[in-house]
């Protein structure tokens, strides 16, 4: 059974930083796409950053240069370092995984990810 568990959300002021973590179990990471998605109230879920098994990483334009996705394969973990946070970054952030594909292609296709974590709230105040 595949399980993804996020942690690290919280409340910060604009300009602050947070680091999200996602631990993965029950998942064979030979070929994969994993990533971070977010959903703000009243908005569709959107891709934030994805990485595929070749190591290619893709970011949505609004976070490029501020957020960094990294992974620790030995720990089956995925991270999202978020710097210079803005109020528009306020959302529930989700970790997701699928067993094939490319990071760029699936960044905008959250519905194609079968495995999801429970989400962690990130609130940025101005």
């Amino acid at each position: 059974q595949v399980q993804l568990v996020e942690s690290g959300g919280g409340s910060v002021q604009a300009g602050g930083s947070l680091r999200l973590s996602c631990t993965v179990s029950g998942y064979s990471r030979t070929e994969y796409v994993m990533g971070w998605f977010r959903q703000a109230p009243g908005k569709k879920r959107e891709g934030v950053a994805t990485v595929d098994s070749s190591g290619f990483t893709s970011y949505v334009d609004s976070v490029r240069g501020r957020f960094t996705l990294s992974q620790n394969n030995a720990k089956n973990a995925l991270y999202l370092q978020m710097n210079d946070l803005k109020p528009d970054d306020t959302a529930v952030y989700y970790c997701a995984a699928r067993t094939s594909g490319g990071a760029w292609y699936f960044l905008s296709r959250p519905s194609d990810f079968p495995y999801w974590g429970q989400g962690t709230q990130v609130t940025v105040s101005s």
Side-chain angles (χ1 to χ4, degrees), residues 18 55 58 64-65 72 76-77 84-85 92 97 99 113:
L18 285 173
S58 186
R64 189 173 293 113
N72 184 326
N76 281 336
D84 190 22
L85 282 159
V92 177
T99 55
F113 284 76

Side-chain angles (χ1 to χ4, degrees), residues 15-65:
S17 298
L18 285 173
R19 186 186 192 224
L20 305 183
S21 299
C22 174
T23 56
V24 184
S25 60
Y27 182 65
S28 176
R29 300 180 73 212
T30 50
E31 184 177 354
Y32 61 86
V33 178
M34 294 190 67
W36 292 96
F37 295 80
R38 66 186 180 186
Q39 188 165 18
K43 295 188 176 180
K44 295 190 305 182
R45 190 167 297 188
E46 69 166 349
V48 177
T50 50
V51 61
D52 59 35
S53 49
S54 67
F56 185 82
T57 305
S58 186
Y59 296 91
V60 69
D61 287 347
S62 61
V63 308
R64 189 173 293 113

Side-chain angles (χ1 to χ4, degrees), residues 6-10 12 16-22 36 68-72 75 77-83 85 93 120 122:
E6 302 100 335
S7 61
V12 296
S17 298
L18 285 173
R19 186 186 192 224
L20 305 183
S21 299
C22 174
W36 292 96
T68 302
L69 184 154
S70 62
Q71 53 184 340
N72 184 326
K75 295 184 178 180
L78 192 71
Y79 308 101
L80 186 68
Q81 178 66 44
M82 305 185 294
N83 298 329
L85 282 159
Y93 284 69
T120 185
V122 171

Side-chain angles (χ1 to χ4, degrees), residues 78-112:
L78 192 71
Y79 308 101
L80 186 68
Q81 178 66 44
M82 305 185 294
N83 298 329
D84 190 22
L85 282 159
K86 305 178 185 303
D88 283 349
D89 295 319
T90 295
V92 177
Y93 284 69
Y94 300 88
C95 177
R98 54 173 288 116
T99 55
S100 63
W104 176 83
Y105 182 84
F106 285 101
L107 178 65
S108 60
R109 293 169 170 82
S111 60
D112 288 341

